[in-house]
Amino acid sequence: MMVKRILVSFLFFLGLFSSSVWASNADVKRAFESHRSDVQVEGGGEVIRVLPDDNKGSRHQKFILRLDNRLTILIAHNIDLAPRIPNLRKGDTVKFYGEYEYSNKGGVVHWTHLDPGNRHTHGWLKHNGRTYE
């Protein structure tokens, strides 16, 4: 009986967490559909492509996520200000919090790190239980 209660509680909290990611992905989709930029978003998705680092100016780790609403977004994670995600692979799940910028290809999320000047909202990426900020 106790095991059943624990399992039900676990599934309940898992459902709450999953719903919040879906709601956040809906915010990304709304920003995309209304061509909005400079929007703080939180969500998560599956890595469908790992791109080469952008080494011009500030260095960025880049990859494309597919969200549960089928929208694809580019993540541009500043690796001069935050640690890179090591061994990132297609099929991995990544959660994010950052600033969304509209593009006709789905958009870009950047500012996925702490702002050393404290002038911008801090962002992060989460992968395999570790936070990168």
Side-chain angles (χ1 to χ4, degrees), residues 16-98:
L16 286 177
F17 175 75
S18 298
S19 297
S20 69
V21 171
W22 293 337
S24 300
N25 285 341
D27 292 341
V28 175
K29 187 171 183 182
R30 275 192 293 280
F32 171 73
E33 289 172 345
S34 61
H35 298 207
R36 292 185 55 218
S37 291
D38 305 320
V39 178
Q40 285 299 127
V41 294
E42 180 178 357
E46 179 185 345
V47 176
I48 60 168
R49 189 162 179 208
V50 177
L51 302 169
D53 289 352
D54 178 357
N55 292 313
K56 295 179 183 167
S58 296
R59 297 175 312 128
H60 288 78
Q61 181 178 24
K62 296 170 80 175
F63 53 94
I64 299 173
L65 291 181
R66 176 176 290 123
L67 309 183
D68 61 350
N69 57 24
R70 313 266 308 139
L71 185 66
T72 57
I73 58 170
L74 172 67
I75 302 292
H77 181 60
N78 188 320
I79 53 177
D80 285 334
L81 297 175
R84 72 181 298 107
I85 298 176
N87 303 314
L88 186 65
R89 292 187 171 88
K90 182 178 177 180
D92 287 358
T93 298
V94 175
K95 295 178 181 137
F96 59 86
Y97 181 68

